Every structure is written in structure tokens, then in C-alpha cells.
Amino acid sequence: MGVFSYVVPVFIAEIAPKNLRGALTTANQLMICAGVSVAFIIGTVLTWRALALTGIIPCAILFLGLFFIPESPRWLAKTGKEKEFEAALQKLRGKDADITHEAAEIQDYIETLERLPKAGMLDLFQRRYLRSVTIGVGLMVFQQFGGINGICFYTSTIFESAGFSSSVGTIIYAILQVVVTGLNTIVIDRAGRKPLLLVSATGLVLGCLLVGVSFFLKDHELGLESVPALAVTGILLYIAAFSAGMGAVPWVVMSEIFPINIKGVGGSLATLVNWFGAWLVSYTFNFLMTWSSYGTFILYAAINALGILFMIIVVPETKGRTLEQIQAAINA
């Protein structure tokens, strides 16, 4: 899953035309959300063992489907397989499409990169690549350390702590996540990456503050009748906001910003940071809730607020530009 989480958005970005790249890369996140939501819902009626075995079905479909998809044209160009490169690009764009300009642009960029030495992990911190690495890793840090996996994995516990039905809350959560991610897939190539990130992070701050206030009121036995409504509203706002931008867009941007000669190591570093953050937030969530339930959500709100500043100052808009144009501008 660690490999898939990086390779799939990169592969989609490399095969998609620029006007559809955001939507198609976000479709990956939509499918992930759909899978999670189906697991949440059928998990209320299946035993854990039966639930685990259902995972074999999509794995089998994926394995068989891989035999029918073309290789990435950009990877074929990089490895010097010119005939296969043109055939794959033609197959992806349609047999009657004129690929001359796009193929020449890809080849020119590959030739420029081939003159650079092959990059290792330490080379990522050279000045020419530093901005790409900062953007890719920074977005993954704020995606995970804003609390998503702690909140996601302990949704039912949070609802119960706030005095709301965990099964009803979980099903609402699952459906909302899919609907909002689906809408995000439609608008990402029109609205742009940066506006979606900013709207999403703002919603995350507000959601965390609402949940924090609900637990503060509960701990101090103030306005207890409003606690469940505040907690549920905050959690659902948080999930909707995350699905609207921070869930998918960091993966979209990460798949766009690394030049092809550092795409492997750069993407691996960003993915490593993402999964490390997922583990650390999941591991520490219960300890933080024991320390202070409302303090936990205030902390997440503060991290998401810092994320807004990072996005305003550092993250570029990549909508409507080819991968070569984006990477040339960032690493100039």
C-alpha cells in the first residue's frame, strides 16, 4: 500500500493530458475514500475476518487489470524506448490524435534531464531541487499532522465520548467523505489546486475548534445539551473539509512537481514522511486525548493554521500547465 500510494498518482499524472490531470489524479483519492467508506459500512454487519477477506476481490481485479494498461510514456522516453514511447502516448490520446507537439516537448525535457547526474537521496537537498522537496514533503507533513488519521481511526470513539450514536455517526462520515471527494474531482481542474488547499485547511481549523469547544464544555460541565451537536458538526465539517482538498490535492501536487530524474527518490521521501506521520498521529492520539481531549483538537487546529501559511507562501498553482512547465518553473 505504501508503494501504491505513491506510484498510482505519479502514473496517472504522467499519462493524463494537462486539462484532466487534476481530476484523474483526484479520482484515485475518490476510489480510496469509496473503499474506506464501504469498509466502514459493511464492517457494521460483517465479522472482522470476513471483512478482511473481502479485500481479496479488488486486489484480484487490480492484478488482472494491470495486464491491459500501457506503460507511462514519460518513463519509456526516459529509458530510451522511443517506439514504445510514441505507441503508448498515441494509445492514451486516441488513434486519431496529433501527438507530435506533446511528444517533442516530453523528449526535449527528458534530454535536458539526462544531462544531469542520476539523483540519490542526499541530492534532493541540492539547491536546484530544494523547492520541490520542500513543497512535496511540507504538504505531506500538514496533511498528516493535522490529525486526520487519529480522527479517522477513532471516529466511533469520539462520537461515543460526545454522547452521539457511533454507528450512525460512522455511516454519515463514510457517505460524506465520498460525496465531497467526488465533487472535488469535478472542480479541481477549474478551481485550481491552491484555492482548494486553502479552503480545505480553513475548514480543518474550524472543525477542530468546534470539537475542541465541545470537549471543553463537557469537561467543565457547561452547556452539556449542546456538546453532542457541536462534536458531530465539528467532526463532519473536518471530514468534509479534508475530503475537499487536503486528502487528494497534496498527492496531486506531489505527482506534478518532481523532475523525472528525482521522481523516484523525491516521491519516496514524501511518501515516507506521509506514512510516518500517519503512524505517529495514530499512535499518539489516545495519549493526547488522555492528556486533554479539548487540548488535542486545539493542537490540531494550530497545526492546520500553520499549514495555511505554508500554502500561501510556498505552494505554487499548477493548474493548466504541463509537467515539464511546472518542474522547469519550480526548479529554475
Side-chain angles (χ1 to χ4, degrees):
M1 285 312 300
V3 172
F4 270 123
S5 67
Y6 169 59
V7 172
V8 171
V10 167
F11 179 77
I12 293 170
E14 290 189 355
I15 67 170
K18 65 182 180 181
N19 60 316
L20 294 175
R21 191 176 59 240
L24 291 173
T25 311
T26 307
N28 173 50
Q29 187 68 21
L30 175 61
M31 294 298 103
I32 292 170
C33 289
V36 170
S37 297
V38 168
F40 266 54
I41 293 167
I42 66 175
T44 60
V45 294
L46 293 180
T47 64
W48 69 265
R49 198 183 303 276
L51 181 65
L53 289 171
T54 60
I56 294 171
I57 299 166
C59 288
I61 294 168
L62 177 62
F63 177 76
L64 294 171
L66 287 172
F67 291 100
F68 297 95
I69 63 172
E71 182 54 88
S72 160
R74 286 176 169 85
W75 183 82
L76 290 169
K78 181 177 181 289
T79 53
K81 298 176 180 177
E82 193 163 332
K83 286 184 180 178
E84 292 93 331
F85 155 66
E86 290 182 0
L89 189 60
Q90 191 75 65
K91 185 177 180 181
L92 287 162
R93 298 295 178 262
K95 62 180 181 179
D96 297 322
D98 182 4
I99 61 166
T100 310
H101 178 71
E102 186 177 6
E105 190 174 36
I106 292 170
Q107 288 279 32
D108 288 346
Y109 190 66
I110 295 293
E111 287 169 13
T112 302
L113 289 176
E114 287 300 307
R115 292 195 286 270
L116 298 173
K118 188 176 179 181
M121 189 64 78
L122 293 177
D123 295 319
L124 292 177
F125 303 99
Q126 293 177 14
R127 188 172 180 180
R128 69 163 73 109
Y129 303 131
L130 202 54
R131 189 162 179 233
S132 289
V133 173
T134 303
I135 295 164
V137 171
L139 284 174
M140 295 306 175
V141 167
F142 288 111
Q143 184 194 61
Q144 290 298 337
F145 285 87
I148 181 59
N149 275 299
I151 293 167
C152 175
F153 294 153
Y154 294 99
T155 300
S156 57
T157 309
I158 296 167
F159 283 137
E160 285 172 6
S161 300
F164 189 80
S165 168
S166 63
S167 57
V168 173
T170 299
I171 290 170
I172 295 170
Y173 162 104
I175 294 169
L176 181 67
Q177 182 175 240
V178 174
V179 171
V180 176
T181 306
L183 292 172
N184 185 27
T185 304
I186 296 168
V187 303
I188 187 167
D189 282 314
R190 299 176 189 172
R193 283 60 157 160
K194 197 164 181 174
L196 285 177
L197 284 170
L198 292 171
V199 169
S200 175
T202 303
L204 294 178
V205 172
L206 294 174
C208 286
L209 290 175
L210 282 174
V211 180
V213 168
S214 75
F215 280 114
F216 179 85
L217 294 175
K218 185 184 177 188
D219 288 357
H220 292 83
E221 298 185 347
L222 301 168
L224 292 177
E225 67 284 349
S226 64
V227 166
L230 278 173
V232 171
T233 303
I235 290 293
L236 295 181
L237 173 60
Y238 183 97
I239 295 306
F242 186 83
S243 301
M246 282 301 289
V249 178
W251 292 103
V252 174
V253 174
M254 189 269 291
S255 70
E256 295 173 326
I257 58 172
F258 290 119
I260 202 162
N261 65 317
I262 65 160
K263 193 161 276 191
V265 286
S268 297
L269 176 63
T271 306
L272 175 64
V273 169
N274 184 282
W275 285 98
F276 173 75
W279 168 77
L280 190 62
V281 169
S282 307
Y283 183 77
T284 58
F285 184 79
N286 273 337
F287 296 113
L288 287 171
M289 288 292 282
T290 304
W291 160 68
S292 170
S293 53
Y294 61 87
T296 301
F297 287 93
I298 299 301
L299 176 63
Y300 290 154
I303 293 170
N304 285 309
L306 288 174
I308 293 172
L309 291 176
F310 175 81
M311 291 161 208
I312 291 170
I313 296 167
V314 179
V315 178
E317 180 55 73
T318 60
K319 178 186 76 169
R321 299 157 78 189
T322 66
L323 296 182
E324 289 72 28
Q325 289 168 343
I326 293 164
Q327 292 152 16
I330 287 174
N331 299 297

